[in-house]
């Protein structure tokens, strides 16, 4: 009984491989463990240990910027974080940047390494930097009549949109708010700013959730009988501020902090603390960002976009982040502060007239309403793009007509846009072809390789939103991120539907096939995060009425409940009822140009793993240069063949087996004919039978019946034979070449089928066809020698029968540690090696590939393994064996052909490793061929894989 259970469990080998055919999601699985998470929970900073203090003293912890100069620069990204480095760079360029300072990422690392304490000397550096800001601005932190207010923002090395917390208007208290009112001449503005500060600070730093404050505000509006914030006056805000403070006191048992230095201290600690919050950890896990990179803290003089109708706040992209078109693109909000645009709470206006007209908006564009400021913004953006030689994503604020730059960074973009921008920039002579090739994240090509809705298909469009992230996705509607995760975990495709998303939803967005929101622009959280993840997204579909409580949404007369299927098209913004048929993408234009450059720059060839004409054809279309692995056992699963295969397996003797093999031979021959035709002279590697036998054994009574009928053997005898064949651990059982050793007639039949097909196609195409015959699971030289003899004999026979001269290679997979170690003697016989890294990983780590899922995630989360070794090569262990095999194999045979055909052949990080150890080719599933072509080019250009700068 126990035996049976085990055998069953191991059964999905073939299934598992087949399932992997569409591109896997390697990046998502590359989880890096949080650094010392326990430390984050410990409270109250204490003095650092003396030794750490001494070591720390030499370093500089705070870097100032503003007023046309900075102590930092763009190149110091690792130390200052992306935001800090670019603020410094913009200051150095003389652009209008509110002055401020950056507390380095090393402080964050120190903080977590030293029981949440700060390095000695940091406070003094903050004092000096703050004094410099005061001098530039002409205001004083905490001053009653002329107070300096600051923002406190996080800024990691890699951009983490929405992940880290921000505090604005810091420095306001009961006294300075009056100073701000006098200084600005706008009491309403001052108290509005103060209540925003109390809410944000309480939420982010003190842990008093924003809902507490929203409730107070709503009640106040109700009492007053108004619905908009703009209907409230200074007296209202003053009263609300009092109620907010009372709420904080009630929740915390102590008053809201009034001393600006205490406020600043709290905010800095909160930013460092938020590096370890769940949202940040999830984002890092998804994007492979190491926890020890840390975040910097940026403290910067406040500028206000909410000082009336000549003030505004906005975001802009120097090119369209969705299409890559070289057209300035952006959104802004008049009289708004801070994160209002990105948060997607109000639907923003367009910056340019062109964009406004394109979408048919009636709201004035910035180009119309603030002409001069708009022109200055354009000048600055052009300059930044030329300076960084990349598309920039910019945040700005206009305070009473004066433009301030708050951030610039290389903008996130869709894969389609990334390719267009890179190709256009080569044409503009801004970057080289090699640079263009290295700028595209190989895994992101996945977005382009996926089907889009068939334009001829009937579809019932129920709503239209913004085309926020391309591609089409169908799935069952869920309204909650947790449900998305649970349903997806059960294998159900889901579309996450939200009014708007927030960073708390990130795990659900990741689990979903697509994301649909009712509110928010193309720079809203949902849009930005979906693009980064490569998920289709439609945002701002304003016609949706979503009722979370009832788990239902209505659109006009349509009602869509949780579990109903919809399709979203992130390229058009359409929301469609039901599932829509899709068509394959067109891989031409800029994509073709970029791939051509990649092909010119790469050294390794790219082949595909394919056994059906459909897969082989798809792979050719994607640029495969041959077949690196044709798993012949996969050809046996078809209903018309399986009976003959079972007959062969269950045969009691050689004669019985040969009768069955005679039935299989013509089918195999036809398979190979088709593959040789499609590959038209390109190399085709045919791997001989390698099934854990249990995968083919009859399972149901009907299966036994069919075999009994075909063979004339009674069912009881067949069942007895089936029990004889049962194995405790089929993955390490009678599979691979061990089958060929016991039953050489099986491999003889396969060799004959290959050679007869090669002879026929060579004649038909009038060109030579050179099959590469690959023997699986070889551990010893003798095994390969014996199998080669079988192949050679078949070749000789077919050549004699057909009168055709045939060339062919016989090689082996390296998928057992012994084979890697004894590679030298194995290469004396084998003419090529192909690393079967699925089995090599399984056998090196001793982790069953069928049973790994239940615990591997835990291993990765705990930092024992850097990634799932079945998705991304364990370069330290499995990689070392590969390196040994390469060296020893080439000692015996200098021209030994070397490839890889495990799943890792389509994983960019593993491809870097293959380039480094000098493999000749990688082979992967058809949909990953373009990814592999690009990754191989990048590996040839860079050799070392750069750490992810997601
Ligand atoms: C491998 O082991 O890496 C391989 C390609 O063979 P299979 O997955 O068929 O065992
Ligand atoms: Mg294998």
């Amino acid at each position: 009984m126990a035996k049976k259970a085990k055998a069953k469990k191991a059964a999905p080998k073939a299934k598992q491989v087949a399932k992997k055919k569409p591109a896997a999601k390697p990046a998502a699985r590359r989880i890096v463990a949080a650094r010392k998470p326990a430390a984050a929970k410990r409270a109250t900073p204490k003095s650092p240990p003396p030794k750490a203090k001494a070591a720390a003293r030499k370093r500089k912890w705070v870097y100032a910027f503003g007023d046309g100069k900075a102590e930092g620069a763009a190149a110091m990204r690792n130390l200052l974080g992306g935001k800090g480095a670019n603020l410094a760079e913009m200051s150095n360029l003389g652009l209008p940047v509110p002055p401020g300072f950056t507390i380095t990422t090393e402080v964050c690392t120190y903080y977590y390494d030293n029981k949440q304490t700060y390095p000695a000397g940091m406070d003094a550096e903050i004092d000096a930097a703050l004094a410099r800001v005061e001098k530039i601005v002409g205001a004083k932190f905490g001053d009653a009549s002329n107070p300096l207010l600051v923002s406190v923002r996080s800024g990691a090395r890699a951009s983490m949109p929405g992940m880290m917390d921000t505090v604005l208007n810091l420095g306001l208290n009961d006294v300075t708010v009056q100073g701000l009112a006098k200084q600005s001449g706008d009491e309403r503005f001052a108290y509005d700013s103060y209540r925003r500060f109390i809410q944000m600070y309480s939420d982010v730093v003190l842990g008093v959730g924003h809902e507490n404050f929203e409730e107070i505000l709503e009640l106040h509006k109700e009492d007053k009988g108004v619905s908009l914030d703009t209907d409230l006056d200074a007296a209202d805000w003053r009263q609300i501020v009092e109620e907010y403070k009372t709420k904080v006191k009630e929740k915390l048992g102590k008053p809201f902090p009034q001393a600006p230095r205490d406020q600043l201290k709290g905010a800095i600690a909160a930013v460092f603390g938020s590096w370890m919050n769940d949202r940040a950890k999830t984002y890092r896990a998804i994007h492979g960002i190491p926890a020890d990179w840390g975040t910097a803290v940026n403290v910067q003089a406040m500028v206000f976009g909410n000082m009336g109708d000549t003030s505004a706040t906005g975001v802009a992209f120097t090119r369209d982040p969705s299409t890559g078109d070289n057209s300035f693109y952006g959104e802004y909000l008049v009289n708004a502060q801070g994160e209002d645009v990105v948060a997607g709470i109000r639907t923003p206006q367009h910056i340019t007239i062109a964009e406004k007209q394109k979408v048919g908006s009636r709201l004035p564009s910035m180009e119309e309403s603030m002409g001069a400021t708009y022109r200055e913004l354009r000048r600055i953006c052009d300059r930044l793009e030329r300076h960084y030689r990349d598309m920039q994503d910019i945040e700005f604020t206009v305070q009473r007509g004066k433009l301030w730059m708050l951030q610039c960074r290389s903008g996130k973009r869709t894969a389609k846009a990334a390719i267009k921008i890179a190709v256009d920039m080569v044409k503009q002579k801004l970057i080289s072809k090699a640079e263009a090739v290295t700028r595209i994240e190989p895994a992101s090509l996945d977005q382009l390789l996926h089907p889009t809705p068939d334009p001829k298909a009937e579809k019932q469009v129920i709503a239209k939103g913004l085309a926020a992230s391309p591609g089409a996705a169908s799935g069952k509607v869920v309204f909650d991120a947790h449900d998305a995760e649970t349903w997806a975990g059960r294998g159900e495709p889901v579309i996450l539907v939200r009014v708007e998303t927030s960073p708390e939803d990130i795990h659900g967005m990741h689990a979903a096939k697509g994301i649909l929101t009712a509110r928010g622009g193309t720079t809203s959280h949902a849009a930005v995060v979906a693009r980064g993840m490569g998920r289709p997204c439609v945002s701002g579909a304003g016609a949706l009425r979503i009722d979370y409580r009832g788990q239902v949404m209505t659109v006009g007369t349509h009602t869509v409940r949780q579990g109903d299927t919809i399709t979203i098209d992130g390229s058009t913004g359409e929301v469609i009822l039901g599932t829509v048929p899709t068509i394959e993408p067109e891989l031409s234009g800029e994509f073709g140009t970029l791939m051509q450059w990649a092909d010119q720059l790469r050294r390794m060839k790219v082949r595909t793993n394919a056994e059906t004409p459909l897969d082989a054809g798809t792979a050719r279309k994607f640029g495969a240069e041959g077949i690196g692995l044709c798993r012949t056992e996969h050809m046996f699963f078809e209903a018309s063949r399986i009976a003959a295969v079972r007959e062969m397996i269950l045969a009691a003797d050689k004669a019985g087996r040969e009768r069955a093999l005679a039935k299989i031979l013509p089918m195999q021959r036809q398979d190979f004919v088709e593959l040789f035709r499609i590959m038209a002279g390109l190399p085709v590697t045919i791997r001989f039978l390698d099934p854990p036998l249990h995968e083919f054994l009859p399972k149901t009574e009907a299966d036994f019946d069919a075999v009994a009928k075909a063979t004339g053997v009674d069912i009881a005898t067949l069942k007895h034979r089936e029990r004889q064949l049962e194995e405790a651990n089929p993955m390490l059982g009678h599979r691979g070449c061990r089958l060929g050793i016991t039953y050489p007639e099986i491999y003889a039949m396969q060799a004959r089928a290959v050679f007869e097909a090669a002879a026929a196609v060579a004649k038909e195409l009038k060109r030579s066809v050179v099959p590469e015959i690959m023997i699986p699971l070889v551990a010893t030289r003798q095994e390969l020698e014996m199998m080669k003899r079988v192949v050679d004999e078949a070749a000789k026979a077919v050549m004699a029968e057909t009168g055709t001269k045939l060339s062919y290679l016989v090689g082996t997979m390296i998928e057992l540690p012994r084979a890697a170690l004894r590679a030298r003697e194995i290469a004396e016989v084998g003419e090529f090696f192909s690393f079967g890294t699925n089995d090599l990983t399984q056998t090196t780590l001793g982790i069953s590939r069928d049973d790994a899922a239940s615990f591997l995630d835990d291993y990765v989360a705990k930092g024992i393994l850097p990634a799932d070794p079945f998705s991304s090569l364990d370069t330290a262990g499995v990689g070392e064996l590969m390196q040994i095999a390469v060296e020893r194999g080439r000692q015996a045979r200098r021209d030994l052909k070397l490839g890889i055909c495990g799943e890792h052949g389509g994983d960019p990080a593993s491809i870097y490793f293959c380039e480094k150890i000098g493999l000749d080719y990688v082979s992967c599933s058809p949909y990953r061929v373009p990814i592999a072509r690009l990754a191989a080019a990048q590996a040839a250009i860079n050799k070392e894989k750069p750490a992810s700068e997601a």
Side-chain angles (χ1 to χ4, degrees), residues 576-722:
I576 305 155
L577 270 191
T579 307
V580 179
T582 50
I583 50 163
E584 292 298 317
E586 192 58 57
L587 300 176
S588 52
E590 278 100 10
F591 179 88
T593 306
L594 189 98
M595 293 310 288
Q596 222 176 7
W597 295 341
D599 290 345
Q600 287 160 8
L601 290 161
R602 71 186 153 87
R603 182 191 61 79
M604 287 191 295
K605 296 271 184 203
V606 176
R607 301 193 193 178
T608 190
N609 295 357
E611 37 277 332
T612 65
L614 179 69
D615 278 357
T618 305
R620 281 290 287 135
K621 206 177 69 194
F622 286 151
E625 296 161 301
I627 290 180
L629 174 64
C630 163
R631 292 176 164 107
T632 51
E633 64 275 12
H634 284 199
M635 297 164 146
F636 291 169
F637 277 112
E638 266 178 45
S640 59
R641 303 176 175 196
I642 190 79
V645 175
R646 287 187 174 134
E647 187 183 330
M648 168 189 83
I649 290 169
L650 293 174
D653 53 23
K654 190 169 174 198
R657 244 183 328 274
E658 280 180 337
R659 269 196 306 278
L661 287 167
K663 292 183 196 167
I664 299 169
L665 174 70
M667 306 188 228
Q668 275 268 272
R669 188 172 49 224
Q670 192 51 32
D671 290 332
F672 298 139
V673 162
E674 286 176 36
L675 291 185
F676 290 145
R677 267 193 202 133
I678 293 168
M679 287 297 152
L682 292 171
V684 176
T685 308
I686 295 156
R687 202 263 308 272
F688 278 5
L689 205 63
D690 172 30
L693 276 184
H694 64 284
E695 288 181 6
F696 294 90
L697 290 174
K699 290 174 185 72
T700 62
E701 287 302 319
D703 291 346
F704 279 107
D705 236 25
V707 183
K709 278 206 187 90
T711 55
V713 179
D714 64 281
I715 291 188
T717 311
L718 289 175
K719 284 192 173 166
H720 175 71
R721 177 84 179 122
E722 188 251 4

Side-chain angles (χ1 to χ4, degrees), residues 9 142 196-197 225 247 308 336 349 395 428 559 562 660 746 823 866 895 916 947:
K9 222 172 161 198
R196 285 172 188 254
F197 169 56
K247 179 57 93 181
Q349 295 159 236
E395 284 180 24
Q428 289 173 267
T559 301
Q562 172 177 278
I746 298 179
D895 62 348
K916 216 160 94 174

Side-chain angles (χ1 to χ4, degrees), residues 717-795:
T717 311
L718 289 175
K719 284 192 173 166
H720 175 71
R721 177 84 179 122
E722 188 251 4
R723 276 194 299 278
Q724 276 181 331
L725 287 171
E726 232 174 47
E727 292 176 323
N729 192 346
M731 271 292 186
L732 299 177
H734 198 190
R735 60 172 284 218
C737 68
R738 296 161 199 170
L739 265 180
I741 297 285
T742 324
Y743 310 124
E745 55 276 15
I746 298 179
Y747 278 16
M749 177 281 289
Q750 292 200 290
R752 172 168 279 277
V754 168
F755 292 127
E756 287 179 355
V761 176
K763 210 182 240 171
E764 179 188 309
L765 299 183
K766 296 192 180 54
R767 64 190 304 171
S768 63
V769 172
V770 185
E772 299 180 357
I773 290 172
M774 184 152 78
I775 309 298
L777 221 73
V778 161
T780 73
R781 174 197 168 113
Q782 290 83 347
E783 285 171 326
L784 185 58
E785 239 166 15
M786 283 181 194
M787 293 301 96
K788 186 166 185 310
R789 221 172 293 138
V790 172
V791 174
D792 288 343
E793 271 164 27

Side-chain angles (χ1 to χ4, degrees), residues 288-339:
I289 298 170
D292 62 4
W293 279 5
T295 181
V297 183
N298 296 293
V299 180
Q300 193 174 16
M302 278 300 302
V303 285
F304 297 95
N306 56 339
M307 274 191 165
D309 288 346
T310 55
S311 300
T313 183
V315 296
F317 291 88
T318 55
R319 301 187 187 215
D320 189 315
S322 196
T323 63
D325 283 345
N326 191 1
S327 57
F328 191 71
Y329 173 93
E331 295 167 336
Y332 80 117
L333 279 175
V334 175
N335 198 9
Q337 189 175 40
E339 316 300 279

Side-chain angles (χ1 to χ4, degrees), residues 13 17 609 629 631 633-634 687 690 735 813 815 835-840 849 901-903:
K13 179 189 174 229
V17 174
N609 295 357
L629 174 64
R631 292 176 164 107
E633 64 275 12
H634 284 199
R687 202 263 308 272
D690 172 30
R735 60 172 284 218
M813 298 187 78
E815 47 188 349
F835 289 97
T837 44
N838 303 332
D839 274 312
L840 191 57
R849 53 201 268 199
C901 62
E903 281 304 306

Side-chain angles (χ1 to χ4, degrees), residues 453-462 567 569 572 574-581:
D454 183 347
K456 290 194 226 79
E458 285 273 317
K459 55 183 184 185
Q460 194 176 358
V461 178
I462 54 169
T567 299
D569 183 350
T572 61
E574 286 174 340
V575 181
I576 305 155
L577 270 191
T579 307
V580 179

